[in-house]
Structure formats: structure tokens, C-alpha cells
Amino acid sequence: MVRKLEIQENILAGQRALVTGASSGIGRAIALSLAEAGARVAVNYLHGDDEAEEIVEEIKKKGGEALAVKADVGKEDEVKSMFRRMFDAYGSIDILVNNAGLQKDSPVHMMSLDDWNLVLSVNLTGQFLCSREATNEFIRRGVAPELSCAAGKIICISSVHDLIPWAGHANYAASKGGVMMLMRSMAQELAPFRIRVNSISPGAIKTAINTAAWSTPEAERELLKLIPYKRVGEPLDVAKAAVWLASDHSDYVTGATLYVDGGMTLYPGFSEGG
Ligand code: BGC
């Protein structure tokens, strides 16, 4: 069944979304965009109560519905209670965006086990824990045809570093490589339940995680050498892709990785020579 979608702006009307790590950066833009598309949004965060509340207020001012839910996505009990709070407020979930992530950079021979574990816990285990809770609900409820063709949508925010090796960031790259196979395996396993699972792999996007890479003209010039499209991305570039993947416009898409990277994964070093 291909659903007729006429009102683009309200493309997610009635659906309930949880966005992890939504108090800043890419997560914030995704939460705002999903709300603009008509979804009620649970704004997960760990640090920054004020920032999370501001996003909730911004959504409400525009006539939307949102709530802030504090939880460490790497902790099973906190994830479970976050989903309980969301279900108490909204009754169910239709869209999960696994966005929470961080970097703890160091050369591999100097990397502490704590920094390895923290990155893996938030970036990979967090995606598993949240996906598990959402999936249980998607399977329990099944398709609600008035809302969507699918019983649920999971969007994993990965990185170009699920493909591009990254010296000095082995924990981060390993976590994102893991996200890719978690996403693809879940997509294969869950398709018969009409649950779609996809990734967005952003390239360099202007957020707090990589300020040093774009905040001075010299740094930006260096960064642009890696980006054939010759501009550094904005959180909204990723958010637009997330709205599409959450909507029935992408109903036949599952197990896909959408690189939103201005061509960073196109081996720009090979544009001459090779
Ligand atoms: C990282 C950024 C980096 C970008 C491109 C992202 O996944 O979090 O720090 O600028 O990849 O290398």
C-alpha cells in the first residue's frame, strides 16, 4: 500500500517521536523538525535541563506538543523509565531517533578504558537499549493505519566514520561501525513486523562536537578540502533527512544508510590522480 500524502507540512500528524540527545546540535534540529511535521516529541537529554526545556517551549509556542525526558541512554534502568514516562504522556511511540552520541578522542595507545567504554556505551549500547524498548512497543501495537504504513520507524544517527577510518578517534569510529551492523541486522530482523530501520550518516555538521574543525577560517578551509560540495553542513540538513525517513514517503526504504555529507565519503582525494 502506498499512502497518498498531500499535506507535506503535517506529514507526521498524530505520531509520537523520541529523539535522544536532543538538547543540542543535530538532535535539537531533528526534534524541532519532527514537531514541525506534526509529531509529538519526547526530547531526551542528559546534561542541560534548561536547553531541553527551551526546546520544549519552542515547540509548544508553535502549537506543538513536547516533553523533556532526562536519561542516560547507556543505562538500562534509565532507558526503561524514560520509555515509561513517554508512554504515560503519549500512550505509545511511532518514531525513535537514536541520536545521542559523543567523542572522547585520543590516540589508541593512550586511550583509557573509561573513554573507550563511555563512547561505546552512549553511541552503541544506547542505540541498542532504546531500539529494544521501542521495538517491543511497535510489535505489541502493530500497524496503526491511520498514522503510518509502518508499525514503527527507527532512525540511527551514525556518521561518515561508519565507513571512513579515523585516526585518533578509534573508539568513536568503532562505535559507528557497530551502529551500521546493528541497524542493518535490526532492519533484516524487524522488516516482517513492518518496522523500518535506517541510518543517517552525517559528515561535518556545524555543532558543538566539532567546533574546532570549522570555527576559524583556517580550520574551515582545511575541512572543506574533505567536502566536494564545498560547504560545511548544518543540523537542518540532517533533520530534513530524518523527517523523510520517519514519514511514509520512505515507506519502502529499510536497512539503508543515507550519507548526508556533501560528498565526504566520495574519496575527494581521488578527484585528481589515483
Ligand atoms: C564527527 C565530527 C566530524 C565529522 C566528519 C562526525 O561524526 O562527530 O567531529 O567533524 O564526523 O569527520
Side-chain angles (χ1 to χ4, degrees), residues 103 158-161 166 172 202-204 209-210 213 223 264:
Q103 288 180 217
S158 182
S159 163
V160 289
H161 300 294
W166 205 15
Y172 184 81
I209 207 169
N210 61 355
L223 185 58
M264 195 175 237

PDB file of all heavy atoms in Angstrom, residues 103 158-161 166 172 202-204 209-210 213 223 264, ligand 1:
ATOM      1  N   GLN A 103      32.133  12.138  21.581  1.00  0.00           N
ATOM      2  CA  GLN A 103      33.516  11.787  21.245  1.00  0.00           C
ATOM      3  C   GLN A 103      34.391  11.935  22.487  1.00  0.00           C
ATOM      4  O   GLN A 103      34.202  12.851  23.279  1.00  0.00           O
ATOM      5  CB  GLN A 103      34.068  12.735  20.179  1.00  0.00           C
ATOM      6  CG  GLN A 103      33.503  12.533  18.797  1.00  0.00           C
ATOM      7  CD  GLN A 103      34.075  13.498  17.762  1.00  0.00           C
ATOM      8  OE1 GLN A 103      33.357  13.942  16.882  1.00  0.00           O
ATOM      9  NE2 GLN A 103      35.366  13.810  17.847  1.00  0.00           N
ATOM     10  N   SER A 158      24.265   7.844  12.682  1.00  0.00           N
ATOM     11  CA  SER A 158      25.602   7.257  12.672  1.00  0.00           C
ATOM     12  C   SER A 158      26.605   8.353  12.313  1.00  0.00           C
ATOM     13  O   SER A 158      26.539   9.454  12.870  1.00  0.00           O
ATOM     14  CB  SER A 158      25.618   6.080  11.687  1.00  0.00           C
ATOM     15  OG  SER A 158      26.871   5.461  11.676  1.00  0.00           O
ATOM     16  N   SER A 159      27.468   8.103  11.369  1.00  0.00           N
ATOM     17  CA  SER A 159      28.493   9.084  10.987  1.00  0.00           C
ATOM     18  C   SER A 159      29.168   8.586   9.719  1.00  0.00           C
ATOM     19  O   SER A 159      29.168   7.374   9.438  1.00  0.00           O
ATOM     20  CB  SER A 159      29.544   9.183  12.103  1.00  0.00           C
ATOM     21  OG  SER A 159      30.730   9.792  11.627  1.00  0.00           O
ATOM     22  N   VAL A 160      29.789   9.502   8.981  1.00  0.00           N
ATOM     23  CA  VAL A 160      30.639   9.052   7.866  1.00  0.00           C
ATOM     24  C   VAL A 160      31.720   8.094   8.370  1.00  0.00           C
ATOM     25  O   VAL A 160      32.269   7.314   7.606  1.00  0.00           O
ATOM     26  CB  VAL A 160      31.311  10.230   7.120  1.00  0.00           C
ATOM     27  CG1 VAL A 160      30.298  11.023   6.314  1.00  0.00           C
ATOM     28  CG2 VAL A 160      32.088  11.132   8.078  1.00  0.00           C
ATOM     29  N   HIS A 161      31.990   8.159   9.674  1.00  0.00           N
ATOM     30  CA  HIS A 161      33.012   7.274  10.244  1.00  0.00           C
ATOM     31  C   HIS A 161      32.473   5.881  10.562  1.00  0.00           C
ATOM     32  O   HIS A 161      33.110   5.120  11.264  1.00  0.00           O
ATOM     33  CB  HIS A 161      33.671   7.946  11.452  1.00  0.00           C
ATOM     34  CG  HIS A 161      34.326   9.225  11.056  1.00  0.00           C
ATOM     35  ND1 HIS A 161      35.421   9.258  10.214  1.00  0.00           N
ATOM     36  CD2 HIS A 161      34.004  10.521  11.306  1.00  0.00           C
ATOM     37  CE1 HIS A 161      35.751  10.516   9.984  1.00  0.00           C
ATOM     38  NE2 HIS A 161      34.917  11.305  10.632  1.00  0.00           N
ATOM     39  N   TRP A 166      39.226   6.576  11.193  1.00  0.00           N
ATOM     40  CA  TRP A 166      39.519   7.908  11.737  1.00  0.00           C
ATOM     41  C   TRP A 166      40.577   7.809  12.823  1.00  0.00           C
ATOM     42  O   TRP A 166      40.279   7.495  13.983  1.00  0.00           O
ATOM     43  CB  TRP A 166      38.231   8.533  12.293  1.00  0.00           C
ATOM     44  CG  TRP A 166      38.242  10.038  12.317  1.00  0.00           C
ATOM     45  CD1 TRP A 166      39.098  10.865  11.659  1.00  0.00           C
ATOM     46  CD2 TRP A 166      37.335  10.889  13.035  1.00  0.00           C
ATOM     47  NE1 TRP A 166      38.774  12.179  11.910  1.00  0.00           N
ATOM     48  CE2 TRP A 166      37.698  12.227  12.749  1.00  0.00           C
ATOM     49  CE3 TRP A 166      36.247  10.649  13.880  1.00  0.00           C
ATOM     50  CZ2 TRP A 166      37.022  13.319  13.281  1.00  0.00           C
ATOM     51  CZ3 TRP A 166      35.570  11.730  14.408  1.00  0.00           C
ATOM     52  CH2 TRP A 166      35.958  13.057  14.101  1.00  0.00           C
ATOM     53  N   TYR A 172      35.325   6.127  18.699  1.00  0.00           N
ATOM     54  CA  TYR A 172      34.171   6.719  18.003  1.00  0.00           C
ATOM     55  C   TYR A 172      33.883   5.953  16.705  1.00  0.00           C
ATOM     56  O   TYR A 172      32.738   5.568  16.434  1.00  0.00           O
ATOM     57  CB  TYR A 172      34.469   8.190  17.725  1.00  0.00           C
ATOM     58  CG  TYR A 172      33.333   8.947  17.087  1.00  0.00           C
ATOM     59  CD1 TYR A 172      32.283   9.441  17.846  1.00  0.00           C
ATOM     60  CD2 TYR A 172      33.308   9.174  15.708  1.00  0.00           C
ATOM     61  CE1 TYR A 172      31.241  10.139  17.262  1.00  0.00           C
ATOM     62  CE2 TYR A 172      32.272   9.875  15.119  1.00  0.00           C
ATOM     63  CZ  TYR A 172      31.242  10.357  15.891  1.00  0.00           C
ATOM     64  OH  TYR A 172      30.211  11.046  15.304  1.00  0.00           O
ATOM     65  N   PRO A 202      25.865  11.507   9.056  1.00  0.00           N
ATOM     66  CA  PRO A 202      26.270  12.875   8.734  1.00  0.00           C
ATOM     67  C   PRO A 202      27.786  12.969   8.555  1.00  0.00           C
ATOM     68  O   PRO A 202      28.553  12.237   9.181  1.00  0.00           O
ATOM     69  CB  PRO A 202      25.834  13.686   9.961  1.00  0.00           C
ATOM     70  CG  PRO A 202      24.951  12.774  10.779  1.00  0.00           C
ATOM     71  CD  PRO A 202      25.413  11.382  10.455  1.00  0.00           C
ATOM     72  N   GLY A 203      28.176  13.922   7.726  1.00  0.00           N
ATOM     73  CA  GLY A 203      29.584  14.296   7.628  1.00  0.00           C
ATOM     74  C   GLY A 203      29.870  15.394   8.628  1.00  0.00           C
ATOM     75  O   GLY A 203      29.435  15.327   9.782  1.00  0.00           O
ATOM     76  N   ALA A 204      30.610  16.409   8.203  1.00  0.00           N
ATOM     77  CA  ALA A 204      30.930  17.515   9.108  1.00  0.00           C
ATOM     78  C   ALA A 204      29.736  18.465   9.178  1.00  0.00           C
ATOM     79  O   ALA A 204      29.379  19.102   8.189  1.00  0.00           O
ATOM     80  CB  ALA A 204      32.164  18.243   8.609  1.00  0.00           C
ATOM     81  N   ILE A 209      30.176  19.405  18.818  1.00  0.00           N
ATOM     82  CA  ILE A 209      31.085  18.246  18.876  1.00  0.00           C
ATOM     83  C   ILE A 209      32.370  18.511  18.077  1.00  0.00           C
ATOM     84  O   ILE A 209      33.416  17.930  18.370  1.00  0.00           O
ATOM     85  CB  ILE A 209      30.382  16.949  18.382  1.00  0.00           C
ATOM     86  CG1 ILE A 209      30.993  15.689  19.021  1.00  0.00           C
ATOM     87  CG2 ILE A 209      30.413  16.824  16.871  1.00  0.00           C
ATOM     88  CD1 ILE A 209      30.212  14.412  18.797  1.00  0.00           C
ATOM     89  N   ASN A 210      32.304  19.368  17.062  1.00  0.00           N
ATOM     90  CA  ASN A 210      33.456  19.557  16.176  1.00  0.00           C
ATOM     91  C   ASN A 210      33.773  21.038  15.929  1.00  0.00           C
ATOM     92  O   ASN A 210      34.317  21.381  14.873  1.00  0.00           O
ATOM     93  CB  ASN A 210      33.208  18.843  14.839  1.00  0.00           C
ATOM     94  CG  ASN A 210      31.985  19.400  14.123  1.00  0.00           C
ATOM     95  OD1 ASN A 210      31.275  20.254  14.656  1.00  0.00           O
ATOM     96  ND2 ASN A 210      31.735  18.917  12.935  1.00  0.00           N
ATOM     97  N   ALA A 213      36.883  22.212  14.268  1.00  0.00           N
ATOM     98  CA  ALA A 213      37.108  21.890  12.852  1.00  0.00           C
ATOM     99  C   ALA A 213      36.534  22.931  11.897  1.00  0.00           C
ATOM    100  O   ALA A 213      36.839  22.891  10.700  1.00  0.00           O
ATOM    101  CB  ALA A 213      36.512  20.516  12.543  1.00  0.00           C
ATOM    102  N   LEU A 223      38.970  21.908   6.400  1.00  0.00           N
ATOM    103  CA  LEU A 223      37.830  20.972   6.418  1.00  0.00           C
ATOM    104  C   LEU A 223      37.202  20.856   5.032  1.00  0.00           C
ATOM    105  O   LEU A 223      36.851  19.755   4.579  1.00  0.00           O
ATOM    106  CB  LEU A 223      36.800  21.458   7.452  1.00  0.00           C
ATOM    107  CG  LEU A 223      35.596  20.558   7.715  1.00  0.00           C
ATOM    108  CD1 LEU A 223      36.033  19.167   8.187  1.00  0.00           C
ATOM    109  CD2 LEU A 223      34.672  21.190   8.761  1.00  0.00           C
ATOM    110  N   MET A 264      31.552  13.821   1.412  1.00  0.00           N
ATOM    111  CA  MET A 264      32.767  13.464   2.160  1.00  0.00           C
ATOM    112  C   MET A 264      33.169  12.004   1.957  1.00  0.00           C
ATOM    113  O   MET A 264      34.360  11.661   1.973  1.00  0.00           O
ATOM    114  CB  MET A 264      32.529  13.742   3.646  1.00  0.00           C
ATOM    115  CG  MET A 264      33.768  13.772   4.492  1.00  0.00           C
ATOM    116  SD  MET A 264      33.337  14.250   6.189  1.00  0.00           S
ATOM    117  CE  MET A 264      34.378  15.673   6.409  1.00  0.00           C
TER     118      MET A 264
HETATM  119  C1  BGC B   1      32.177  13.754  13.980  1.00  0.00           C
HETATM  120  C2  BGC B   1      32.702  15.143  13.724  1.00  0.00           C
HETATM  121  C3  BGC B   1      33.445  15.189  12.404  1.00  0.00           C
HETATM  122  C4  BGC B   1      32.653  14.564  11.275  1.00  0.00           C
HETATM  123  C5  BGC B   1      33.442  14.453   9.979  1.00  0.00           C
HETATM  124  C6  BGC B   1      31.362  13.304  12.791  1.00  0.00           C
HETATM  125  O1  BGC B   1      30.806  12.053  13.005  1.00  0.00           O
HETATM  126  O2  BGC B   1      31.393  13.738  15.170  1.00  0.00           O
HETATM  127  O3  BGC B   1      33.544  15.537  14.782  1.00  0.00           O
HETATM  128  O4  BGC B   1      33.733  16.538  12.069  1.00  0.00           O
HETATM  129  O5  BGC B   1      32.216  13.272  11.651  1.00  0.00           O
HETATM  130  O6  BGC B   1      34.729  13.944  10.167  1.00  0.00           O
END
